[in-house]
Amino acid sequence: MADIHGAKVKLFTLNSNPELAQEIADYMGIKLSECTLTRFADGEVSLNIAETVRGHHVFVVQSTSKPVNEHYMELLIMIDALKRASAKTINVIMPYYGYSRQDRKALSRQPISAKLVADLLEVAGATRLICLDLHAAQIQGFYNVPIDNFQASAIMVGYFKEKGLEDIVVVSPDHGGTTRARKFAINFDAPIAIIDKRRPKPNVAEVMHIIGDVQDKNVIIVDDIVDTAGTITVAAKALKEAGAKDIYVTCSHPVLSDPAMERINESPITELVTTNSIRIPKSKLGPKIVQLSIAEMLGQGVINIVEDKPISDLFVYKGKRH
């Protein structure tokens, strides 16, 4: 247990990203609290919390990455256990929000799965969510409890500032990411370009046009999620053919479903710069992958939340990497 300005705080981790949880605990100067997750023979999740949480502000680290449904079920059961054990608040640190790409009905008879997840978490007893770069910011409107959408851009900007790149063009991989790219480009006083693409089916992208000048420029493609890497590798090839020099990709969430690594390694991409919002197995860590930690930002965010201080300053680049 930690005492932060008189508030009793505990930090737990489930199975999705214990390394990130440990980094957050180290930054905060506290120990991870104990809970045990086991499974019955039929796969049912069993959970036991080994210490009291009565009257505590509890924070639970769990990205809902692959296996998405398993990680959600672990989280729901943990929230229920904390609620029944009289935790004062139950705060979910979910850097990667699984199902966030299903935030609307694209066809007549499709679900809005991101809203369904919100309902499940609220009914289970979550009193706050802390996420990172939500795929659709309007997901915050699905909740009737506070949801903080942390931003990794300051960490990414710091990394590229240290590289000292010149002649930069920031590229949005589609029209929907234009605002994200423009905000990123402001830090470098750089122009933006846009990939005009179409997606004939999920995880398949085709480049139609490049809007903007990338000739003899160092390109930074800014995205939030890299899943199968189809979009970014097709974009990188088109940018190279248009005369771009080095091509970098930055994304908040390295989902990296197969065959992402094969595509990235065979592409003209120089580096894929991402965060540890999702744990990347060592088997997928290649020479082109650079993973930056969000632990300090999240740890300070937890402290600020407990102390009733603002968190927006954590998302602003201030001349050094966070």
Side-chain angles (χ1 to χ4, degrees), residues 66 96 101 225-228 251 253-257 260 278 284:
K66 184 179 180 180
Y96 176 67
R101 287 173 283 182
I225 298 171
V226 172
D227 191 349
T228 61
C251 77
H253 306 298
V255 177
L256 300 180
S257 304
I278 296 174
K284 288 190 175 182

Side-chain angles (χ1 to χ4, degrees), residues 276-317:
N276 57 345
S277 69
I278 296 174
R279 179 181 173 271
I280 304 178
K282 289 183 179 180
S283 60
K284 288 190 175 182
L285 276 173
K288 291 188 177 185
I289 306 295
V290 176
Q291 200 169 21
L292 307 177
S293 180
I294 55 174
E296 181 176 335
M297 179 177 64
L298 291 175
Q300 189 60 51
V302 169
I303 293 169
N304 287 11
I305 288 167
V306 172
E307 294 180 344
D308 294 325
K309 292 181 179 178
I311 60 172
S312 55
D313 284 350
L314 301 176
F315 316 146
V316 179
Y317 174 70

Side-chain angles (χ1 to χ4, degrees), residues 154-163 290-293 296 317-322:
I155 298 170
M156 303 296 189
V157 168
Y159 176 82
F160 284 105
K161 287 280 188 180
E162 289 177 9
K163 292 185 81 70
V290 176
Q291 200 169 21
L292 307 177
S293 180
E296 181 176 335
Y317 174 70
K318 300 175 182 177
K320 64 179 181 179
R321 220 161 77 201
H322 286 261

Side-chain angles (χ1 to χ4, degrees), residues 82-129:
L82 292 168
K83 179 177 67 176
R84 295 176 188 279
S86 301
K88 187 172 185 178
T89 63
I90 302 170
N91 307 272
V92 177
I93 302 176
M94 188 195 294
Y96 176 67
Y97 188 114
Y99 289 103
S100 64
R101 287 173 283 182
Q102 299 184 48
D103 62 301
R104 67 194 187 284
K105 289 179 67 172
L107 298 173
S108 299
R109 289 170 293 282
Q110 286 187 334
I112 305 179
S113 303
K115 170 63 170 126
L116 173 62
V117 166
D119 292 342
L120 290 170
L121 292 170
E122 279 200 57
V123 169
T127 56
R128 176 186 294 271
L129 253 75

Side-chain angles (χ1 to χ4, degrees), residues 60-209:
V60 182
V61 179
Q62 179 81 329
S63 269
T64 46
S65 50
K66 184 179 180 180
V68 180
N69 298 334
E70 285 287 311
H71 287 155
Y72 264 120
M73 202 64 205
E74 290 178 5
L75 180 58
L76 290 167
I77 290 171
M78 178 65 166
I79 293 169
D80 185 73
L82 292 168
K83 179 177 67 176
R84 295 176 188 279
S86 301
K88 187 172 185 178
T89 63
I90 302 170
N91 307 272
V92 177
I93 302 176
M94 188 195 294
Y96 176 67
Y97 188 114
Y99 289 103
S100 64
R101 287 173 283 182
Q102 299 184 48
D103 62 301
R104 67 194 187 284
K105 289 179 67 172
L107 298 173
S108 299
R109 289 170 293 282
Q110 286 187 334
I112 305 179
S113 303
K115 170 63 170 126
L116 173 62
V117 166
D119 292 342
L120 290 170
L121 292 170
E122 279 200 57
V123 169
T127 56
R128 176 186 294 271
L129 253 75
I130 298 170
C131 299
L132 179 78
D133 288 324
L134 285 166
H135 182 68
Q138 62 266 26
I139 287 173
Q140 295 171 93
F142 294 168
Y143 286 84
N144 294 310
V145 297
I147 172 169
D148 297 308
N149 187 21
F150 280 47
Q151 299 168 28
S153 59
I155 298 170
M156 303 296 189
V157 168
Y159 176 82
F160 284 105
K161 287 280 188 180
E162 289 177 9
K163 292 185 81 70
L165 295 179
E166 298 179 351
D167 300 322
I168 294 173
V169 173
V170 176
V171 174
S172 172
D174 51 37
H175 293 278
T178 303
T179 300
R180 184 187 303 115
R182 183 169 286 115
K183 287 181 179 178
F184 195 87
I186 288 171
N187 293 280
F188 300 92
D189 193 24
I192 71 167
I194 303 168
I195 303 292
D196 179 23
K197 73 174 185 183
R198 71 183 184 97
R199 193 182 288 279
K201 57 184 178 179
N203 295 125
V204 176
E206 295 178 359
V207 172
M208 307 299 288
H209 305 284

